[in-house]
Amino acid sequence: MSNTAEIKVDGKCYELPLVEGSEKEKAIDIGKFRAQSGIITLDYGFKNTGSTQSAITFLDGEKGILRYRGYSIEQLAEHSSFLEVAYLLIFGELPSKEEFESFKDEITHHTLIHEDFHTILEGFPSAAHPMGVLSSLVTAMTAFYPKSMDPNRSWDEVRLSIIRILAKLPTLAAFSYKNKIGHPVMYPNNKLDYCSNFLHMMFGLPSQDFEANPVVTDALDKLLILHADHEQNCSASTVRIVGSSQASLYASISAGINALWGPLHGGANQAVIEMLENIKADGGNVEKWMDKAKDKDDPFRLMGFGHRVYKNFDPRARIIKKAADDVLAALGVNDPVLDIAKGLEEVALRDDYFVERKLYPNVDFYSGIIYRALGIPTEMFTVMFAMGRLPGWIAQWREMRENKEPIGRPRQVYVGKTERDYVPMGNR
Ligand code: SDX
């Protein structure tokens, strides 16, 4: 195979290097093309353009493959834990037992947040969306940890910033929930594991001991694993481009939280449940809503369906769908929206519109059904996605920093007015 590609423009041929990754993916490196030709490439939404070479996550949209640092999500979801996967994504290898125990101990002993966060929390109206609160609180971490503002400090100090955000995000999320519902916050309990501690902070009450249901903690841990990274998705790309200006880790993560909030991205898990509730309230007529989803004049989209990369199935959706059945059965929950979701999937999988466009359930289609069964409020669903995605964002930010990648600054093709002279207001 040649290691170059040729682009011919106005009879002139430009030779460009070909890059091949460890999974034999190929890319044309256009880094020098503009300098040689004065021409740029254009690709709305970067649908066909790579922004980097990354060693973190590999996915194959045709085969439904997703691997973190070479390990399949099927194996990690079955045998690993979220904290172990976080270590794998951020440091590149699975930890030894000693490394993991030390990492877990560090996380456990950084879960508290400064008491002054309560002043910030109390400033939010109770109607504030948890994602807006969370991104604000993560940015506020720069105020409490001013050394975190400089990403060029020693690795030990950057590592401490990483440990702090991993440890404190669940606390920030749970405290904001308690503040929203007017309940007293539940402080982290160092005797509990990551998921149990989060559930304790979310649903515990001062007047009673909290006993986490292992079915719930296992399901939550699995969901966090399945959300942990997804290569150059919208929010990870946001984290990388904000971090490329040498903004702090916390500023970059806060930007990622805001990108994830959108209903076309992580906000879809909340939109799916709201959609399913609407369909249920409308009598459960699945065919009617499928027709709306196919109608170009109707803004309604089937939330939780379709994906930029997966064109056969989202491997995470398969695992989550099975987990939804298992968790609801184990908890004795009979949620009618699960049946509506399955009905939509069945109809879509044999509908030409969806089959031709390769639209299948994505990670967000079934996850909300489990979150709801776990007692997580709908407005917190995307916060759960952010908690899961945090180690991925950190890994992506770290890779961009350590590869010394340049500040992200795309080009454009100008289509506005050509040069014209100013006309004084009285003469217009
Ligand atoms: C996530 O990138 C990632 O990796 C993201 C993510 C991650 O882990 O980080 O996987 C998480 O964001 C999952 C996606 C969650 N979003 C949704 O469920 C929202 C509904 N889905 C869509 O809006 C859409 O499918 C996207 C945003 C997910 C993908 O959009 P694309 O790749 O830009 O595709 P498109 O919008 O150009 O759609 C192609 C065609 C269009 O029809 P035509 O113009 O060709 O006739 O498919 C249609 C679209 O109208 N289409 C849908 C549809 N999704 C696409 N029609 C109805 N319902 C849908 N859900």
Side-chain angles (χ1 to χ4, degrees):
M1 182 202 85
S2 160
N3 58 3
T4 59
E6 292 177 352
I7 295 182
K8 192 176 239 183
V9 181
D10 298 337
K12 189 170 179 196
C13 195
Y14 300 90
E15 197 171 77
L16 297 165
L18 267 181
V19 170
E20 182 174 289
S22 53
E23 290 285 351
K24 308 298 178 213
E25 296 166 304
K26 294 179 184 58
I28 299 172
D29 180 342
I30 58 165
K32 295 187 170 54
F33 180 53
R34 188 180 64 84
Q36 293 169 3
S37 66
I39 299 169
I40 64 168
T41 57
L42 185 60
D43 184 19
Y44 289 100
F46 313 113
K47 291 191 173 189
N48 310 285
T49 299
S51 59
T52 189
Q53 296 185 75
S54 177
I56 300 168
T57 292
F58 170 71
L59 58 89
D60 181 318
E62 298 307 321
K63 297 178 186 151
I65 293 172
L66 176 55
R67 299 192 199 115
Y68 299 153
R69 300 284 188 185
Y71 297 96
S72 75
I73 53 151
E74 288 80 3
Q75 290 187 18
L76 293 171
E78 184 66 30
H79 304 299
S80 185
S81 69
F82 175 63
L83 272 194
E84 185 180 48
V85 167
Y87 187 102
L88 170 67
L89 285 167
I90 296 167
F91 301 108
E93 296 294 339
L94 286 170
S96 66
K97 187 158 178 45
E98 295 70 32
E99 286 167 333
F100 182 65
E101 289 309 318
S102 164
F103 178 67
K104 199 166 64 168
D105 189 63
E106 283 184 285
I107 298 288
T108 300
H109 292 92
H110 281 281
T111 48
L112 268 181
I113 58 175
H114 194 289
E115 284 295 295
D116 286 357
F117 267 106
H118 292 294
T119 311
I120 303 171
L121 272 170
E122 281 146 23
F124 285 102
S126 57
H129 193 287
M131 284 294 276
V133 174
L134 190 67
S135 65
S136 308
L137 295 178
V138 168
T139 302
M141 282 186 65
T142 54
F144 294 94
Y145 304 103
K147 287 183 181 173
S148 70
M149 286 192 286
D150 179 2
N152 298 309
R153 297 183 77 95
S154 71
W155 163 241
D156 286 347
E157 287 181 295
V158 169
R159 187 182 182 284
L160 179 55
S161 294
I162 290 171
I163 294 293
R164 280 179 169 144
I165 186 76
L166 274 172
K168 296 177 196 304
L169 201 75
T171 307
L172 293 171
F175 277 29
S176 61
Y177 172 62
K178 287 293 199 183
N179 187 64
K180 180 184 182 74
I181 61 173
H183 281 197
V185 295
M186 292 300 287
Y187 284 88
N189 177 340
N190 290 354
K191 298 188 190 73
L192 300 175
D193 63 49
Y194 193 87
C195 287
S196 303
N197 201 14
F198 173 69
L199 294 166
H200 150 73
M201 292 189 285
M202 280 286 289
F203 304 119
L205 288 169
S207 52
Q208 62 194 20
D209 291 334
F210 179 82
E211 274 298 309
N213 179 335
V215 171
V216 174
T217 50
D218 289 352
L220 180 55
D221 198 72
K222 183 174 283 193
L223 280 169
L224 294 176
I225 290 172
L226 294 170
H227 285 81
D229 192 56
H230 214 240
E231 53 132 283
Q232 304 311 313
N233 57 84
C234 177
S235 54
S237 300
T238 301
V239 168
R240 286 181 87 118
I241 203 163
V242 169
S244 72
S245 74
Q246 296 195 11
S248 72
L249 171 65
Y250 298 156
S252 306
I253 297 296
S254 178
I257 292 170
N258 286 307
L260 186 73
W261 194 357
L264 295 189
H265 192 12
N269 59 14
Q270 173 177 342
V272 166
I273 287 294
E274 290 165 350
M275 170 188 76
L276 293 172
E277 285 291 2
N278 287 340
I279 295 173
K280 186 179 96 182
D282 184 52
N285 181 343
V286 167
E287 278 70 17
K288 169 186 169 186
W289 289 85
M290 295 297 284
D291 291 341
K292 283 171 65 67
K294 297 187 288 188
D295 179 356
K296 286 294 166 216
D297 298 325
D298 189 324
F300 174 75
R301 278 205 161 183
L302 198 57
M303 301 311 281
F305 257 73
H307 199 276
R308 174 62 55 77
V309 180
Y310 290 123
K311 297 306 176 192
N312 280 311
F313 62 93
D314 183 333
R316 301 166 297 178
R318 275 191 172 176
I319 299 172
I320 293 172
K321 179 181 177 182
K322 179 169 183 321
D325 282 328
D326 298 346
V327 169
L328 269 65
L331 296 176
V333 170
N334 175 25
D335 189 345
V337 299
L338 177 58
D339 298 330
I340 293 174
K342 288 180 175 176
L344 280 169
E345 181 180 6
E346 276 164 36
V347 174
L349 295 187
R350 59 173 189 268
D351 181 288
D352 289 346
Y353 174 95
F354 286 84
V355 172
E356 281 159 17
R357 291 167 180 79
K358 302 188 172 192
L359 303 176
Y360 297 84
N362 59 46
V363 66
D364 291 313
F365 191 60
Y366 287 104
S367 55
I369 291 166
I370 300 182
Y371 288 137
R372 192 152 89 149
L374 303 186
I376 307 283
T378 305
E379 270 202 335
M380 291 279 290
F381 287 5
T382 313
V383 168
M384 302 309 296
F385 195 144
M387 272 176 51
R389 187 52 54 89
L390 179 61
W393 286 333
I394 293 169
Q396 298 284 347
W397 180 86
R398 188 182 174 202
E399 183 175 74
M400 174 276 302
R401 295 279 307 149
E402 294 186 350
N403 289 349
K404 297 185 177 8
E405 294 184 10
I407 183 169
R409 200 267 184 230
R411 293 282 175 151
Q412 66 164 26
V413 174
Y414 177 71
V415 293
K417 296 284 189 195
T418 52
E419 187 171 12
R420 53 182 172 167
D421 294 327
Y422 179 80
V423 176
M425 201 171 290
N427 303 343
R428 287 176 206 157

